[in-house]
């Protein structure tokens, strides 16, 4: 089972999730990392769930068109991704800013 390490506001939250897990879906049904993960629409339109990938980016697919549109090249190059667009199958370490990116 993949291990998710989540950094926000100087705190670290860590837990295992089932393979093929979407963190925004889990937060929406009050499972880890709720209530710590900020999210909004869950469809790639608001970018509230944007996180910087600290470790594990090599296991993720390339950014889709929604991520490219919402985050732009600069944020993508800095390692940001939309959690609503990703299904976790490997260990990942992510960080979410306290303030919104958009």
């Amino acid at each position: 089972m993949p291990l998710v390490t989540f950094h926000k506001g100087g705190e670290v939250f860590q837990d295992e999730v089932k393979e093929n897990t979407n963190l925004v879906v889990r937060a929406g049904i009050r499972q880890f990392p709720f209530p710590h993960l900020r999210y909004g629409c869950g469809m790639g339109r608001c970018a509230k769930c944007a996180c910087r990938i600290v470790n594990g980016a090599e296991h993720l697919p390339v950014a889709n068109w929604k991520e490219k549109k919402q985050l732009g090249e600069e944020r993508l190059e800095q390692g940001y991704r939309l959690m609503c667009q990703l299904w976790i199958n490997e260990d990942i370490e992510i960080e979410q800013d306290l303030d919104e990116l958009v």
Side-chain angles (χ1 to χ4, degrees):
M1 291 188 10
L3 178 67
V4 176
T5 304
F6 181 65
H7 301 264
K8 186 171 182 178
E11 294 186 74
V12 179
F13 309 94
Q14 195 172 57
D15 203 356
E16 288 184 333
V17 296
K18 293 180 182 176
E19 286 189 24
N20 207 30
T21 291
N22 180 284
L23 297 183
V24 170
V25 170
R26 287 188 57 99
I29 58 174
R30 308 270 193 268
Q31 294 179 341
F32 178 81
F34 176 83
H36 313 292
L37 178 69
R38 182 185 62 249
Y39 64 96
C41 71
M43 299 169 59
R45 293 189 306 208
C46 71
K48 288 183 180 178
C49 65
C51 290
R52 188 175 64 84
I53 309 300
V54 178
N55 285 307
E58 68 274 11
H59 302 295
L60 299 175
V62 297
N64 65 24
W65 68 271
K66 291 180 181 182
E67 292 180 285
K68 290 176 183 176
K69 179 180 177 184
Q70 292 299 330
L71 298 172
E73 277 303 313
E74 184 177 343
R75 288 191 181 131
L76 286 170
E77 287 175 9
Q78 293 171 352
Y80 284 90
R81 300 293 299 270
L82 298 180
M83 290 297 102
C84 68
Q85 299 298 298
L86 300 175
W87 297 87
I88 308 302
N89 289 300
E90 301 284 339
D91 292 354
I92 191 168
E93 184 174 358
I94 59 178
E95 178 178 50
Q96 191 172 55
D97 299 332
L98 288 176
D99 55 341
E100 292 188 32
L101 290 172
V102 278

